[in-house]
């Protein structure tokens, strides 16, 4: 019996500590809230290649700071619609390791999966959370590592013939 008179209730530690012990917080949640190594650091950003067999897009390797999103941008709106758990509680402090193209791909993919998971709302939420964190979390380096590079072009080419690196684009997308 704890000091509140309720038998079997663990009242020790913070609410997050109790939720962690009860198994209610995923490793991604723990990384998001606790570990500061790799905070605001991406593993990838943007899409820069296509699988010739499946036409699936590859994410571009990006070892840099997660760009801060402009809250009036399409990128912020798509993140809010697709991955609301990644929106910062503080005004103008939402960061993400995904661009508009990645968010469109993620939203389309999650839409397909939710039809299959419609009978289990918690399954659908957990599935969404897993892919939101792995695709867009601003703290990707806390729980993911980039293992190898596929053989594709890390530069974008524009109709004018100019190019820029993925890192340059991520830096331009950042507004914080």
């Amino acid at each position: 019996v704890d000091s509140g008179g309720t038998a079997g209730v663990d009242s020790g530690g913070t609410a997050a500590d109790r939720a962690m012990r009860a198994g209610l917080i995923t490793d991604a949640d723990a990384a998001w809230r606790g570990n500061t190594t790799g905070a605001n650091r991406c593993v990838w950003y943007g899409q820069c290649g296509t699988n010739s067999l499946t036409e699936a897009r590859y994410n571009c390797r990006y070892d840099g700071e997660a760009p801060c999103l402009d809250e009036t941008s399409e990128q912020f709106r798509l993140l809010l619609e697709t991955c609301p758990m990644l929106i910062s509680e503080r005004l103008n402090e939402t960061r993400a390791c995904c661009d508009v193209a990645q968010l469109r791909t993620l939203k389309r993919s999650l839409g397909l999966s939710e039809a299959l998971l419609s009978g289990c709302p918690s399954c659908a939420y957990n599935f969404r959370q897993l892919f939101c964190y792995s695709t867009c979390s601003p703290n990707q380096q806390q729980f993911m590592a980039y293992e190898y590079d596929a053989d594709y072009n890390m530069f974008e080419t524009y109709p004018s013939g100019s190019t820029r690196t993925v890192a340059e684009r991520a830096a331009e997308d950042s507004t914080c």
Side-chain angles (χ1 to χ4, degrees):
V1 176
D2 70 7
S3 60
T6 307
V9 175
D10 179 5
S11 62
T14 67
D17 292 334
R18 290 189 302 276
M20 179 68 83
R21 284 193 300 276
L24 301 175
I25 296 181
T26 66
D27 288 342
D29 285 329
W32 175 261
R33 291 178 178 84
N35 182 2
T36 58
T37 303
N40 292 325
R41 302 291 298 180
C42 301
V43 171
W44 55 48
Y45 186 89
Q47 296 177 329
C48 55
T50 305
N51 181 309
S52 60
L53 296 175
T54 65
E55 296 188 20
R57 299 296 310 244
Y58 293 119
N59 293 324
C60 306
R61 183 177 187 168
Y62 173 62
D63 179 15
E65 189 172 336
C68 189
L69 307 186
D70 176 353
E71 294 187 1
T72 63
S73 69
E74 179 183 9
Q75 186 179 12
F76 182 86
R77 181 186 57 76
L78 281 168
L79 186 68
L80 180 62
E81 289 173 8
T82 311
C83 303
M85 73 285 294
L86 296 179
I87 301 296
S88 174
E89 294 176 3
R90 295 187 203 107
L91 188 62
N92 297 319
E93 290 190 18
T94 297
R95 294 177 176 272
C97 291
C98 55
D99 67 3
V100 171
Q102 284 175 288
L103 283 162
R104 287 181 184 145
T105 300
L106 178 62
K107 185 175 181 177
R108 185 174 47 255
S109 297
L110 289 173
L112 296 171
S113 68
E114 289 188 356
L116 296 172
L117 299 171
S118 63
C120 179
S122 62
C123 298
Y125 177 81
N126 288 336
F127 189 82
R128 175 176 292 272
Q129 184 176 8
L130 172 69
F131 282 95
C132 284
Y133 273 102
S134 65
T135 304
C136 295
S137 171
N139 303 317
Q140 288 174 339
Q141 287 189 8
Q142 291 179 329
F143 57 93
M144 290 191 335
Y146 204 93
E147 292 296 320
Y148 65 92
D149 285 322
D151 186 19
Y152 55 80
N153 190 353
M154 293 296 288
F155 293 87
E156 297 175 325
T157 303
Y158 294 90
S160 66
S162 65
T163 61
R164 65 181 174 164
T165 66
V166 173
E168 289 169 336
R169 180 170 49 125
E172 290 170 8
D173 288 350
S174 182
T175 58
C176 285

